[in-house]
Amino acid sequence: MTTASTPELEADRQALIGLISDEAVFHGDFTLSSGKKATYYVDMRKLTLDHRAAPAIGRLVLDLVKDLDGVVAVGGLTLGADPIANAVMHESVHAGTPLDAFVVRKEPKDHGRGRQIEGADVAGKRVVVVEDTSTTGQSALKAVEALRREGAEVVAVAVIVDRKTGAQAAIEAEGLQWLASIDLDDLGLAPQ
């Protein structure tokens, strides 16, 4: 279990845990993006795109990355990372520690400039990949691979909800720091 760095941020975290538990945990039979089967699904997009949760998500992820030296931008694989990166960008400006955002497409565009990474210029920059939740870490690692091809120095992966199912080990095996704001213990759920 983690805690935020200030009482105010911990209050944000507890409020977000309540919203997730009440509105974003669905029970049933699900297939995750990793292909794994699950008896519950944590639908963070429901909250990353919700006005009640997005500001707190921005503040909490900003809190996770605040001590990483020289980080200038956050983002990740579209679609899950997009609202998180934008929330962090907006909250970072409000906090006086501006970070830019970027989007990593699943594949490079086949028209225009043919870019795979949109937004902030990442070449030669220290960046953090963000995700709503992760099971195996493969989506984050796909973003890491694309960012490294563009010359970015990826230093960490930050997730809102850690499913405790191997993503952390996969990320750390790539030499990256793993950061999570909420885990399954916080939500009263068991790993599966």
Side-chain angles (χ1 to χ4, degrees):
M1 190 178 306
T2 62
T3 58
S5 68
T6 68
E8 295 81 11
L9 286 168
E10 183 57 24
D12 275 345
R13 197 176 83 82
Q14 291 302 321
L16 184 58
I17 289 168
L19 280 171
I20 294 168
S21 295
D22 292 347
E23 299 183 25
V25 177
F26 297 88
H27 296 275
D29 294 321
F30 300 96
T31 302
L32 306 175
S33 64
S34 63
K36 291 187 175 186
K37 301 292 184 187
T39 59
Y40 62 83
Y41 182 73
V42 181
D43 185 2
M44 285 304 298
R45 288 186 190 122
K46 186 169 176 41
L47 293 175
T48 60
L49 295 164
D50 186 304
H51 72 280
R52 297 168 301 157
I57 287 168
R59 289 188 293 272
L60 290 167
V61 175
L62 184 60
D63 188 48
L64 289 175
V65 305
K66 71 180 179 1
D67 294 328
L68 299 174
D69 290 335
V71 169
V72 299
V74 298
L77 200 62
T78 199
L79 169 79
D82 301 349
I84 301 165
N86 280 308
V88 172
M89 179 181 63
H90 289 286
E91 290 299 325
S92 73
V93 170
H94 181 71
T97 57
L99 295 174
D100 287 321
F102 59 84
V103 173
V104 180
R105 295 174 185 275
K106 292 181 169 80
E107 300 294 333
K109 282 175 48 173
D110 62 359
H111 59 281
R113 294 174 57 203
R115 297 177 53 102
Q116 187 168 7
I117 300 170
E118 301 287 355
D121 177 23
V122 298
K125 308 283 176 50
R126 291 172 58 87
V127 302
V128 174
V129 169
V130 295
E131 273 205 317
D132 51 5
T133 185
S134 191
T135 304
T136 63
Q138 293 311 301
S139 292
L141 290 174
K142 186 171 183 175
V144 167
E145 181 182 320
L147 287 159
R148 287 177 172 165
R149 276 196 308 271
E150 291 293 319
E153 181 186 350
V154 183
V155 296
V157 171
V159 300
I160 301 167
V161 176
D162 180 358
R163 290 183 57 87
K164 292 182 149 183
T165 52
Q168 180 175 355
I171 298 304
E172 290 175 345
E174 286 294 317
L176 302 170
Q177 189 170 353
W178 173 260
L179 305 165
S181 186
I182 296 167
D183 65 26
L184 295 182
D185 293 337
D186 295 315
L187 299 173
L189 299 169
Q192 45 178 353

